[in-house]
Coordinates of all heavy atoms in Angstrom, one line a residue:
M1 N 18.9 233.5 -31.3 CA 18.5 233.8 -32.6 C 19.5 233.5 -33.6 O 20.7 233.7 -33.4 CB 18.2 235.3 -32.6 CG 17.1 235.7 -33.6 SD 16.7 237.4 -33.6 CE 16.4 237.9 -31.9
N2 N 19.1 232.8 -34.7 CA 20.2 232.5 -35.7 C 20.6 233.6 -36.6 O 19.9 234.6 -36.6 CB 19.7 231.2 -36.5 CG 18.5 231.5 -37.4 OD1 18.5 232.6 -38.0 ND2 17.6 230.6 -37.6
R3 N 21.7 233.4 -37.3 CA 22.2 234.4 -38.1 C 21.3 234.8 -39.3 O 21.3 236.0 -39.7 CB 23.6 234.0 -38.7 CG 24.7 234.1 -37.7 CD 26.0 233.9 -38.3 NE 26.3 232.5 -38.5 CZ 27.3 232.1 -39.2 NH1 28.1 232.9 -39.8 NH2 27.4 230.8 -39.4
L4 N 20.5 233.9 -39.8 CA 19.6 234.2 -40.9 C 18.6 235.3 -40.5 O 18.3 236.2 -41.2 CB 18.9 233.0 -41.4 CG 18.2 233.0 -42.7 CD1 19.1 233.5 -43.9 CD2 17.5 231.7 -43.1
I5 N 18.0 235.1 -39.3 CA 17.0 236.1 -38.9 C 17.6 237.5 -38.6 O 17.1 238.5 -38.8 CB 16.1 235.6 -37.7 CG1 14.9 236.5 -37.5 CG2 16.9 235.5 -36.4 CD1 13.8 236.4 -38.6
I6 N 18.8 237.4 -38.0 CA 19.5 238.7 -37.7 C 19.9 239.4 -39.0 O 19.7 240.6 -39.1 CB 20.8 238.4 -36.9 CG1 20.4 237.9 -35.5 CG2 21.7 239.6 -36.8 CD1 21.5 237.3 -34.6
S7 N 20.3 238.6 -40.0 CA 20.6 239.2 -41.3 C 19.3 239.9 -41.9 O 19.4 241.0 -42.4 CB 21.1 238.1 -42.3 OG 21.2 238.6 -43.6
L8 N 18.2 239.2 -41.8 CA 17.0 239.7 -42.4 C 16.6 241.0 -41.6 O 16.3 242.0 -42.3 CB 15.8 238.7 -42.3 CG 14.4 239.2 -42.7 CD1 14.5 239.7 -44.1 CD2 13.4 238.2 -42.5
E9 N 16.7 241.0 -40.3 CA 16.3 242.3 -39.6 C 17.2 243.4 -40.0 O 16.7 244.5 -40.2 CB 16.4 242.0 -38.0 CG 15.3 241.2 -37.5 CD 15.3 241.1 -36.0 OE1 16.4 240.6 -35.5 OE2 14.4 241.5 -35.3
E10 N 18.5 243.2 -40.1 CA 19.4 244.3 -40.5 C 19.1 244.8 -41.9 O 19.1 246.0 -42.1 CB 20.9 243.7 -40.4 CG 21.4 243.5 -39.0 CD 22.7 242.9 -39.0 OE1 23.3 242.5 -40.1 OE2 23.3 242.7 -37.9
K11 N 18.8 243.9 -42.8 CA 18.5 244.3 -44.1 C 17.1 245.0 -44.2 O 17.0 246.0 -45.0 CB 18.5 243.1 -45.1 CG 19.9 242.5 -45.3 CD 19.9 241.3 -46.1 CE 21.3 240.8 -46.3 NZ 21.3 239.6 -47.2
L12 N 16.2 244.6 -43.5 CA 14.8 245.2 -43.5 C 14.9 246.7 -43.1 O 14.2 247.5 -43.5 CB 13.8 244.5 -42.6 CG 13.3 243.2 -43.1 CD1 12.5 242.4 -42.0 CD2 12.5 243.4 -44.4
H13 N 15.9 247.0 -42.2 CA 16.0 248.4 -41.7 C 16.8 249.2 -42.7 O 16.8 250.5 -42.6 CB 16.8 248.4 -40.4 CG 15.9 248.0 -39.2 ND1 14.9 248.9 -38.7 CD2 15.8 246.9 -38.5 CE1 14.3 248.3 -37.7 NE2 14.8 247.0 -37.6
K14 N 17.4 248.6 -43.8 CA 18.1 249.3 -44.8 C 17.3 249.6 -46.1 O 17.6 250.4 -46.9 CB 19.4 248.6 -45.2 CG 20.4 248.5 -44.0 CD 21.6 247.7 -44.5 CE 22.6 247.6 -43.3 NZ 23.7 246.8 -43.6
G15 N 16.2 248.8 -46.3 CA 15.4 248.9 -47.5 C 14.5 247.7 -47.7 O 14.2 247.0 -46.8
I16 N 14.1 247.5 -48.9 CA 13.2 246.4 -49.3 C 14.0 245.2 -49.5 O 15.0 245.2 -50.3 CB 12.4 246.8 -50.5 CG1 11.5 248.0 -50.2 CG2 11.5 245.6 -50.9 CD1 10.7 248.6 -51.4
V17 N 13.5 244.1 -48.9 CA 14.3 242.8 -49.0 C 13.3 241.7 -49.5 O 12.1 241.7 -49.0 CB 14.9 242.4 -47.6 CG1 15.6 241.1 -47.7 CG2 15.7 243.5 -47.1
S18 N 13.7 240.8 -50.3 CA 12.9 239.7 -50.7 C 13.4 238.5 -49.8 O 14.6 238.3 -49.5 CB 13.2 239.2 -52.2 OG 12.7 240.3 -53.0
F19 N 12.4 237.8 -49.2 CA 12.7 236.7 -48.4 C 11.6 235.6 -48.5 O 10.5 235.9 -49.0 CB 13.0 237.1 -46.9 CG 11.9 237.9 -46.3 CD1 11.0 237.3 -45.5 CD2 11.8 239.3 -46.6 CE1 10.0 238.1 -44.9 CE2 10.8 240.0 -46.0 CZ 9.9 239.4 -45.1
V20 N 11.8 234.4 -48.0 CA 10.9 233.3 -48.1 C 10.7 232.7 -46.7 O 11.7 232.5 -46.0 CB 11.3 232.3 -49.0 CG1 10.3 231.1 -49.1 CG2 11.6 232.8 -50.4
Y21 N 9.4 232.4 -46.3 CA 9.2 231.8 -45.1 C 8.0 230.9 -45.2 O 7.2 231.0 -46.2 CB 9.0 232.7 -43.9 CG 7.8 233.7 -44.0 CD1 6.6 233.3 -43.5 CD2 7.9 234.9 -44.6 CE1 5.5 234.2 -43.6 CE2 6.9 235.8 -44.7 CZ 5.6 235.4 -44.2 OH 4.6 236.3 -44.3
L22 N 7.8 229.9 -44.3 CA 6.7 229.0 -44.3 C 5.5 229.7 -43.5 O 5.7 230.2 -42.4 CB 7.0 227.7 -43.6 CG 7.9 226.8 -44.4 CD1 8.2 225.5 -43.5 CD2 7.3 226.4 -45.7
K23 N 4.3 229.7 -44.1 CA 3.1 230.2 -43.4 C 2.6 229.1 -42.5 O 3.0 228.0 -42.5 CB 2.1 230.6 -44.5 CG 2.6 231.7 -45.4 CD 1.7 232.1 -46.5 CE 0.2 231.8 -46.4 NZ -0.6 232.3 -47.5
K24 N 1.6 229.5 -41.7 CA 1.0 228.6 -40.7 C 0.4 227.3 -41.4 O 0.5 226.2 -40.9 CB -0.1 229.2 -39.9 CG 0.4 230.1 -38.9 CD -0.8 230.7 -38.1 CE -0.4 231.6 -37.0 NZ -1.6 232.2 -36.2
D25 N -0.1 227.5 -42.6 CA -0.7 226.4 -43.4 C 0.4 225.5 -44.0 O 0.0 224.5 -44.7 CB -1.7 226.8 -44.3 CG -1.2 227.7 -45.5 OD1 0.1 227.8 -45.6 OD2 -2.0 228.2 -46.3
G26 N 1.6 225.8 -43.9 CA 2.7 225.0 -44.5 C 3.1 225.5 -45.9 O 4.1 225.0 -46.4
S27 N 2.4 226.4 -46.5 CA 2.8 226.9 -47.8 C 3.9 228.0 -47.7 O 4.1 228.5 -46.6 CB 1.6 227.5 -48.5 OG 1.1 228.7 -47.8
R28 N 4.6 228.2 -48.7 CA 5.7 229.2 -48.7 C 5.2 230.6 -49.1 O 4.4 230.7 -50.0 CB 6.8 228.8 -49.7 CG 7.6 227.6 -49.3 CD 8.6 227.3 -50.3 NE 9.4 226.2 -49.8 CZ 10.7 226.1 -50.0 NH1 11.4 227.1 -50.6 NH2 11.4 225.1 -49.5
R29 N 5.7 231.6 -48.4 CA 5.4 233.0 -48.9 C 6.7 233.6 -49.3 O 7.7 233.6 -48.6 CB 4.8 233.8 -47.7 CG 4.6 235.3 -48.1 CD 4.1 236.1 -47.1 NE 2.6 235.9 -46.8 CZ 1.6 236.4 -47.5 NH1 1.9 237.2 -48.5 NH2 0.4 236.2 -47.1
N30 N 6.6 234.1 -50.6 CA 7.7 234.9 -51.1 C 7.4 236.3 -50.8 O 6.4 236.9 -51.4 CB 7.9 234.6 -52.6 CG 8.3 233.2 -52.9 OD1 9.3 232.7 -52.4 ND2 7.5 232.5 -53.8
A31 N 8.0 236.9 -49.9 CA 7.7 238.2 -49.4 C 8.7 239.3 -49.9 O 9.9 239.0 -50.0 CB 7.6 238.2 -47.9
N32 N 8.2 240.5 -50.0 CA 9.0 241.7 -50.2 C 8.6 242.7 -49.1 O 7.5 243.2 -49.1 CB 8.7 242.3 -51.6 CG 9.2 241.4 -52.7 OD1 10.3 241.1 -52.8 ND2 8.2 241.0 -53.5
G33 N 9.5 242.8 -48.2 CA 9.2 243.6 -47.0 C 10.3 244.6 -46.6 O 11.4 244.6 -47.2
T34 N 9.9 245.5 -45.7 CA 10.8 246.5 -45.2 C 10.5 246.9 -43.8 O 9.4 246.7 -43.3 CB 10.8 247.7 -46.2 OG1 11.9 248.6 -45.8 CG2 9.5 248.5 -46.1
L35 N 11.4 247.6 -43.2 CA 11.2 248.3 -41.9 C 11.9 249.7 -42.0 O 12.1 250.4 -41.1 CB 11.8 247.5 -40.7 CG 11.1 246.2 -40.3 CD1 11.9 245.5 -39.3 CD2 9.7 246.5 -39.9
Y36 N 12.3 250.0 -43.3 CA 13.0 251.3 -43.5 C 12.0 252.4 -43.7 O 11.1 252.4 -44.5 CB 13.8 251.1 -44.8 CG 14.5 252.4 -45.3 CD1 15.6 252.8 -44.7 CD2 14.0 253.1 -46.4 CE1 16.3 253.9 -45.1 CE2 14.6 254.3 -46.8 CZ 15.8 254.7 -46.1 OH 16.4 255.8 -46.6
G37 N 12.2 253.5 -42.9 CA 11.5 254.7 -43.0 C 10.0 254.6 -42.6 O 9.2 255.4 -42.9
I38 N 9.7 253.6 -41.8 CA 8.3 253.4 -41.4 C 8.1 253.3 -39.9 O 7.0 253.0 -39.4 CB 7.7 252.1 -42.0 CG1 8.5 250.9 -41.7 CG2 7.5 252.3 -43.5 CD1 7.9 249.6 -42.1
G39 N 9.2 253.6 -39.1 CA 9.1 253.5 -37.7 C 8.0 254.3 -37.1 O 7.4 253.9 -36.0
H40 N 7.6 255.4 -37.7 CA 6.5 256.3 -37.1 C 5.2 255.6 -37.2 O 4.2 256.1 -36.6 CB 6.5 257.6 -37.8 CG 6.2 257.6 -39.3 ND1 7.1 257.2 -40.2 CD2 5.1 257.9 -39.9 CE1 6.6 257.2 -41.4 NE2 5.3 257.6 -41.2
T41 N 5.0 254.5 -37.9 CA 3.8 253.9 -38.1 C 3.6 252.7 -37.1 O 2.5 252.2 -36.9 CB 3.5 253.3 -39.5 OG1 4.5 252.2 -39.7 CG2 3.7 254.3 -40.5
I42 N 4.7 252.4 -36.4 CA 4.7 251.3 -35.4 C 4.0 251.7 -34.1 O 4.4 252.8 -33.6 CB 6.1 250.7 -35.2 CG1 6.7 250.2 -36.5 CG2 6.0 249.6 -34.1 CD1 8.1 249.8 -36.4
K43 N 3.0 251.0 -33.7 CA 2.4 251.3 -32.4 C 3.0 250.5 -31.3 O 3.6 249.5 -31.5 CB 0.9 251.0 -32.5 CG 0.2 251.9 -33.6 CD -1.3 251.6 -33.7 CE -1.9 252.5 -34.7 NZ -3.3 252.2 -34.9
G44 N 2.8 251.0 -30.1 CA 3.3 250.3 -28.9 C 4.6 250.9 -28.4 O 4.9 252.1 -28.7
N45 N 5.4 250.1 -27.7 CA 6.6 250.7 -27.0 C 7.8 250.5 -27.9 O 8.9 250.8 -27.4 CB 6.8 250.0 -25.7 CG 7.0 248.5 -25.8 OD1 7.2 248.0 -26.9 ND2 7.0 247.9 -24.6
G46 N 7.7 250.1 -29.1 CA 8.8 249.9 -30.0 C 9.5 248.6 -29.9 O 10.4 248.3 -30.7
G47 N 9.2 247.8 -28.9 CA 9.8 246.5 -28.7 C 9.1 245.5 -29.5 O 8.0 245.7 -30.1
R48 N 9.6 244.3 -29.5 CA 9.0 243.2 -30.2 C 7.7 242.8 -29.4 O 7.8 242.7 -28.2 CB 9.9 242.0 -30.3 CG 10.4 241.8 -31.6 CD 11.0 240.4 -31.7 NE 11.8 240.4 -32.9 CZ 12.6 239.5 -33.3 NH1 12.9 238.6 -32.5 NH2 13.3 239.6 -34.4
S49 N 6.7 242.5 -30.1 CA 5.4 242.1 -29.4 C 5.6 240.6 -28.9 O 5.0 240.2 -28.0 CB 4.2 242.2 -30.3 OG 4.4 241.5 -31.5
C50 N 6.4 239.8 -29.7 CA 6.6 238.4 -29.3 C 8.0 238.1 -29.8 O 8.4 238.4 -30.9 CB 5.6 237.6 -29.9 SG 5.8 235.8 -29.7
K51 N 8.8 237.4 -28.9 CA 10.1 237.1 -29.3 C 10.2 236.0 -30.3 O 11.3 235.7 -30.9 CB 11.0 236.8 -28.1 CG 10.6 235.5 -27.4 CD 11.4 235.3 -26.1 CE 11.0 234.0 -25.4 NZ 11.9 233.8 -24.2
W52 N 9.1 235.3 -30.7 CA 9.1 234.2 -31.6 C 8.7 234.7 -33.0 O 8.7 233.9 -33.9 CB 8.2 233.1 -31.2 CG 8.7 232.5 -29.9 CD1 9.8 231.7 -29.7 CD2 8.2 232.7 -28.6 NE1 10.0 231.4 -28.4 CE2 9.0 232.0 -27.7 CE3 7.1 233.4 -28.1 CZ2 8.7 232.0 -26.3 CZ3 6.8 233.4 -26.7 CH2 7.6 232.7 -25.9
T53 N 8.3 235.9 -33.1 CA 7.8 236.4 -34.4 C 8.6 237.6 -34.9 O 9.2 238.3 -34.1 CB 6.3 236.8 -34.4 OG1 6.1 237.9 -33.5 CG2 5.4 235.6 -34.0
L54 N 8.5 237.9 -36.2 CA 9.1 239.1 -36.8 C 8.0 239.8 -37.5 O 7.3 239.2 -38.4 CB 10.2 238.7 -37.7 CG 10.8 239.9 -38.4 CD1 11.6 240.8 -37.4 CD2 11.8 239.5 -39.5
N55 N 7.8 241.0 -37.2 CA 6.8 241.9 -37.9 C 7.5 242.7 -39.0 O 8.7 243.1 -38.8 CB 6.2 242.9 -37.0 CG 5.4 242.2 -35.8 OD1 4.8 241.2 -36.0 ND2 5.5 242.8 -34.7
Y56 N 6.9 242.8 -40.2 CA 7.5 243.6 -41.3 C 6.4 244.2 -42.1 O 5.2 243.8 -42.0 CB 8.4 242.7 -42.2 CG 7.6 241.6 -42.9 CD1 7.2 241.9 -44.3 CD2 7.2 240.4 -42.4 CE1 6.4 241.0 -45.0 CE2 6.5 239.5 -43.1 CZ 6.1 239.8 -44.4 OH 5.4 238.9 -45.1
Y57 N 6.7 245.2 -42.9 CA 5.7 245.8 -43.8 C 5.9 245.2 -45.1 O 6.9 245.2 -45.8 CB 6.0 247.3 -43.8 CG 4.8 248.0 -44.6 CD1 3.6 248.3 -44.0 CD2 5.0 248.3 -45.9 CE1 2.6 248.8 -44.7 CE2 4.0 248.9 -46.7 CZ 2.8 249.2 -46.0 OH 1.7 249.7 -46.7
D58 N 4.8 244.6 -45.6 CA 4.8 243.9 -46.9 C 4.5 245.0 -48.0 O 3.4 245.5 -48.0 CB 3.7 242.8 -46.9 CG 3.7 242.0 -48.2 OD1 3.8 242.5 -49.3 OD2 3.6 240.7 -48.0
V59 N 5.5 245.3 -48.8 CA 5.3 246.3 -49.8 C 4.4 246.0 -50.9 O 3.8 246.8 -51.6 CB 6.7 246.8 -50.3 CG1 7.5 247.5 -49.2 CG2 7.4 245.7 -51.0
D60 N 4.2 244.7 -51.2 CA 3.3 244.3 -52.3 C 1.8 244.4 -51.8 O 0.9 244.8 -52.5 CB 3.6 242.8 -52.7 CG 5.0 242.7 -53.3 OD1 5.4 243.6 -53.9 OD2 5.6 241.6 -53.1
C61 N 1.5 244.0 -50.6 CA 0.2 244.0 -50.0 C -0.1 245.3 -49.4 O -1.3 245.6 -49.0 CB 0.0 242.9 -49.0 SG 0.2 241.2 -49.8
Q62 N 0.9 246.1 -49.1 CA 0.7 247.4 -48.4 C 0.0 247.2 -47.1 O -0.9 247.8 -46.7 CB 0.0 248.5 -49.2 CG 0.8 248.9 -50.4 CD 0.2 250.1 -51.2 OE1 -0.7 250.7 -50.7 NE2 0.8 250.4 -52.3
A63 N 0.6 246.2 -46.3 CA 0.0 245.8 -45.0 C 1.1 245.2 -44.1 O 2.1 244.7 -44.6 CB -1.1 244.8 -45.2
W64 N 0.9 245.3 -42.8 CA 1.8 244.7 -41.9 C 1.6 243.2 -41.8 O 0.4 242.7 -41.9 CB 1.6 245.3 -40.5 CG 2.2 246.6 -40.3 CD1 1.5 247.8 -40.5 CD2 3.5 247.0 -40.1 NE1 2.3 248.9 -40.4 CE2 3.6 248.4 -40.1 CE3 4.7 246.2 -39.9 CZ2 4.8 249.0 -39.9 CZ3 5.9 246.9 -39.7 CH2 5.9 248.3 -39.7
R65 N 2.6 242.4 -41.8 CA 2.6 241.0 -41.7 C 3.6 240.5 -40.6 O 4.4 241.3 -40.2 CB 3.0 240.3 -43.0 CG 2.2 240.7 -44.2 CD 1.0 239.8 -44.3 NE 0.3 240.1 -45.6 CZ -0.9 240.6 -45.6 NH1 -1.5 241.0 -44.5 NH2 -1.5 240.8 -46.8
S66 N 3.4 239.3 -40.2 CA 4.4 238.7 -39.2 C 4.5 237.2 -39.5 O 3.6 236.6 -40.2 CB 4.0 238.9 -37.8 OG 2.8 238.3 -37.5
F67 N 5.6 236.6 -39.1 CA 5.8 235.2 -39.2 C 6.6 234.7 -38.1 O 7.3 235.4 -37.4 CB 6.4 234.8 -40.6 CG 7.8 235.4 -40.7 CD1 8.9 234.6 -40.4 CD2 8.0 236.6 -41.2 CE1 10.2 235.1 -40.6 CE2 9.3 237.1 -41.4 CZ 10.4 236.3 -41.1
L68 N 6.6 233.4 -37.8 CA 7.4 232.7 -36.8 C 8.9 232.7 -37.3 O 9.1 232.2 -38.4 CB 7.0 231.3 -36.5 CG 5.6 231.2 -35.8 CD1 5.2 229.7 -35.8 CD2 5.7 231.7 -34.4
I69 N 9.8 233.2 -36.5 CA 11.2 233.3 -37.0 C 11.8 232.0 -37.3 O 12.6 231.8 -38.2 CB 12.1 234.1 -36.0 CG1 12.1 233.5 -34.7 CG2 11.6 235.5 -35.9 CD1 13.1 234.1 -33.7
E70 N 11.3 230.9 -36.7 CA 11.8 229.6 -37.0 C 11.4 229.1 -38.4 O 12.0 228.1 -38.9 CB 11.4 228.5 -35.9 CG 9.9 228.3 -35.9 CD 9.4 227.4 -34.7 OE1 10.2 227.3 -33.8 OE2 8.4 226.9 -34.9
N71 N 10.4 229.8 -39.0 CA 10.0 229.4 -40.3 C 10.6 230.1 -41.5 O 10.3 229.9 -42.6 CB 8.5 229.6 -40.4 CG 7.7 228.6 -39.6 OD1 8.2 227.6 -39.1 ND2 6.4 228.9 -39.3
L72 N 11.6 230.9 -41.2 CA 12.4 231.7 -42.2 C 13.2 230.7 -43.0 O 13.9 229.9 -42.4 CB 13.3 232.7 -41.6 CG 14.1 233.6 -42.5 CD1 13.1 234.4 -43.5 CD2 15.0 234.6 -41.8
I73 N 13.1 230.8 -44.3 CA 13.8 229.8 -45.2 C 15.0 230.5 -45.9 O 16.1 229.9 -45.8 CB 12.9 229.2 -46.3 CG1 11.8 228.4 -45.6 CG2 13.7 228.4 -47.3 CD1 10.7 228.0 -46.6
S74 N 14.8 231.6 -46.5 CA 15.9 232.3 -47.1 C 15.7 233.8 -47.1 O 14.6 234.3 -47.0 CB 16.0 231.8 -48.6 OG 14.9 232.2 -49.3
V75 N 16.9 234.5 -47.3 CA 16.9 236.0 -47.3 C 17.7 236.5 -48.6 O 18.8 236.0 -48.8 CB 17.5 236.5 -46.1 CG1 17.6 238.0 -46.1 CG2 16.8 236.1 -44.8
G76 N 17.1 237.4 -49.3 CA 17.8 238.0 -50.5 C 18.6 239.2 -50.0 O 18.7 239.5 -48.9
E77 N 19.0 240.0 -51.0 CA 19.7 241.2 -50.8 C 18.8 242.4 -50.7 O 17.6 242.3 -51.2 CB 20.8 241.4 -51.9 CG 21.9 240.4 -51.8 CD 22.6 240.3 -50.5 OE1 22.9 241.4 -50.0 OE2 22.9 239.2 -50.1
V78 N 19.2 243.5 -50.1 CA 18.5 244.7 -50.1 C 18.4 245.3 -51.6 O 19.5 245.3 -52.3 CB 19.1 245.8 -49.2 CG1 18.4 247.1 -49.3 CG2 19.2 245.3 -47.8
R79 N 17.3 245.7 -52.1 CA 17.2 246.2 -53.4 C 18.0 247.5 -53.5 O 18.0 248.3 -52.6 CB 15.7 246.6 -53.7 CG 14.8 245.4 -53.9 CD 13.5 245.9 -54.4 NE 12.5 244.8 -54.4 CZ 11.2 245.0 -54.5 NH1 10.7 246.2 -54.7 NH2 10.4 244.0 -54.5
Q80 N 18.7 247.6 -54.6 CA 19.5 248.8 -54.9 C 18.7 250.1 -55.0 O 19.0 251.1 -54.5 CB 20.4 248.6 -56.1 CG 21.4 247.6 -56.0 CD 22.5 247.9 -54.9 OE1 22.9 249.0 -54.7 NE2 22.8 246.9 -54.1
K81 N 17.6 249.9 -55.7 CA 16.6 251.1 -55.8 C 15.5 250.8 -54.9 O 14.4 250.4 -55.3 CB 16.2 251.2 -57.3 CG 17.3 251.7 -58.2 CD 16.7 251.9 -59.6 CE 16.4 253.4 -59.7 NZ 15.9 253.7 -61.1
T82 N 15.6 251.1 -53.6 CA 14.6 250.9 -52.7 C 13.5 251.9 -52.9 O 13.7 253.1 -53.0 CB 15.1 251.0 -51.2 OG1 16.0 249.9 -51.0 CG2 14.0 250.9 -50.2
I83 N 12.3 251.4 -52.8 CA 11.1 252.3 -52.9 C 10.8 252.7 -51.5 O 10.6 251.9 -50.6 CB 9.9 251.5 -53.5 CG1 10.2 251.0 -54.9 CG2 8.7 252.4 -53.5 CD1 9.2 250.1 -55.5
V84 N 10.8 254.0 -51.3 CA 10.6 254.5 -49.9 C 9.1 254.9 -49.7 O 8.5 255.6 -50.5 CB 11.4 255.8 -49.7 CG1 11.1 256.4 -48.4 CG2 12.9 255.6 -49.9
P85 N 8.5 254.3 -48.7 CA 7.1 254.6 -48.5 C 6.8 256.0 -48.0 O 7.6 256.5 -47.2 CB 6.7 253.6 -47.3 CG 7.8 252.8 -47.0 CD 9.0 253.3 -47.8
I86 N 5.8 256.6 -48.6 CA 5.4 258.0 -48.1 C 4.0 257.9 -47.6 O 3.1 257.3 -48.2 CB 5.4 259.0 -49.3 CG1 6.9 259.1 -49.9 CG2 4.9 260.3 -48.9 CD1 7.0 259.9 -51.1
F87 N 3.8 258.3 -46.3 CA 2.6 258.1 -45.7 C 1.7 259.3 -45.7 O 2.1 260.4 -45.4 CB 2.9 257.7 -44.2 CG 3.6 256.4 -44.1 CD1 4.9 256.3 -44.1 CD2 2.8 255.2 -44.0 CE1 5.6 255.1 -44.0 CE2 3.4 254.0 -44.0 CZ 4.8 253.9 -43.9
H88 N 0.4 259.0 -46.0 CA -0.6 260.1 -46.1 C -1.8 259.5 -45.2 O -2.5 258.7 -45.7 CB -1.1 260.4 -47.5 CG 0.0 260.9 -48.3 ND1 0.4 262.3 -48.2 CD2 0.8 260.4 -49.3 CE1 1.3 262.5 -49.1 NE2 1.6 261.3 -49.7
G89 N -1.8 259.9 -43.9 CA -2.8 259.3 -43.0 C -2.4 257.8 -42.8 O -1.3 257.5 -42.5
K90 N -3.4 256.9 -43.0 CA -3.1 255.5 -42.8 C -2.8 254.8 -44.1 O -2.3 253.7 -44.1 CB -4.3 254.8 -42.2 CG -4.6 255.3 -40.8 CD -5.6 254.5 -40.1 CE -5.8 255.0 -38.7 NZ -6.8 254.2 -38.0
R91 N -2.9 255.4 -45.3 CA -2.7 254.8 -46.5 C -1.3 255.0 -47.0 O -0.7 256.1 -46.8 CB -3.6 255.3 -47.6 CG -3.5 254.7 -48.9 CD -4.7 254.9 -49.8 NE -4.5 254.1 -51.0 CZ -4.5 254.7 -52.2 NH1 -4.8 255.9 -52.3 NH2 -4.2 254.0 -53.2
V92 N -0.7 254.0 -47.5 CA 0.7 254.1 -48.0 C 0.7 254.2 -49.5 O 0.1 253.4 -50.2 CB 1.5 252.9 -47.6 CG1 2.9 252.9 -48.1 CG2 1.5 252.7 -46.1
I93 N 1.4 255.2 -50.0 CA 1.6 255.3 -51.5 C 3.1 255.1 -51.7 O 4.0 255.8 -51.2 CB 1.2 256.7 -51.9 CG1 -0.3 256.9 -51.6 CG2 1.4 256.9 -53.4 CD1 -0.8 258.3 -51.8
L94 N 3.4 254.1 -52.6 CA 4.8 253.8 -52.9 C 5.3 254.5 -54.1 O 4.6 254.5 -55.2 CB 5.0 252.3 -53.1 CG 4.7 251.5 -51.8 CD1 4.8 250.0 -52.1 CD2 5.5 251.8 -50.7
H95 N 6.4 255.3 -54.0 CA 7.0 256.0 -55.1 C 8.3 255.4 -55.4 O 9.1 255.0 -54.5 CB 7.1 257.5 -54.8 CG 5.9 258.2 -54.6 ND1 5.1 258.7 -55.6 CD2 5.1 258.4 -53.5 CE1 4.0 259.3 -55.1 NE2 4.0 259.1 -53.8
S96 N 8.7 255.3 -56.7 CA 10.0 254.8 -57.0 C 11.0 256.0 -57.3 O 10.6 257.1 -57.5 CB 10.0 253.9 -58.3 OG 9.4 254.6 -59.3

């Protein structure tokens, strides 16, 4: 695994991160995602479902997304004022 994907995974666990990757259709996705404070929503055994993909929570779409790790283009910094997701059932309400 390259350093860029490792950097993204570490940052996603600290807060909301902006990053860019190529989608299946070849277009670029500018994503704002996190893995901070949402572990209780992950189903399964807690491991990666596939070693070639990275799952993240898209804070703009309020939905889970994934992408091929080889398609990662760039990674930004963790936002200083991270918005922490608060869960009510299955719906996510974001508070600043």
Side-chain angles (χ1 to χ4, degrees):
M1 210 180 308
N2 68 38
R3 283 192 280 168
L4 192 59
I5 194 71
I6 292 170
S7 170
L8 176 58
E9 282 186 305
E10 289 173 354
K11 290 176 180 181
L12 286 170
H13 284 285
K14 293 178 182 175
I16 297 173
V17 182
S18 296
F19 55 99
V20 179
Y21 63 88
L22 289 177
K23 294 172 29 175
K24 284 183 181 180
D25 66 6
S27 63
R28 288 180 177 222
R29 176 180 285 279
N30 295 307
N32 293 300
T34 191
L35 292 173
Y36 176 75
I38 56 172
H40 64 283
T41 68
I42 299 172
K43 296 180 181 176
N45 61 9
R48 254 195 194 169
S49 58
C50 176
K51 65 181 179 180
W52 299 286
T53 63
L54 177 68
N55 300 325
Y56 68 96
Y57 187 79
D58 187 316
V59 296
D60 297 325
C61 299
Q62 294 189 7
W64 286 96
R65 302 273 187 250
S66 65
F67 65 95
L68 292 171
I69 59 174
E70 66 187 21
N71 290 346
L72 181 62
I73 297 171
S74 65
V75 176
E77 294 301 317
V78 177
R79 289 186 190 170
Q80 292 299 320
K81 290 184 98 178
T82 293
I83 300 171
V84 178
I86 299 173
F87 294 90
H88 297 282
K90 293 186 178 182
R91 184 160 181 237
V92 177
I93 300 170
L94 298 176
H95 295 274
S96 54

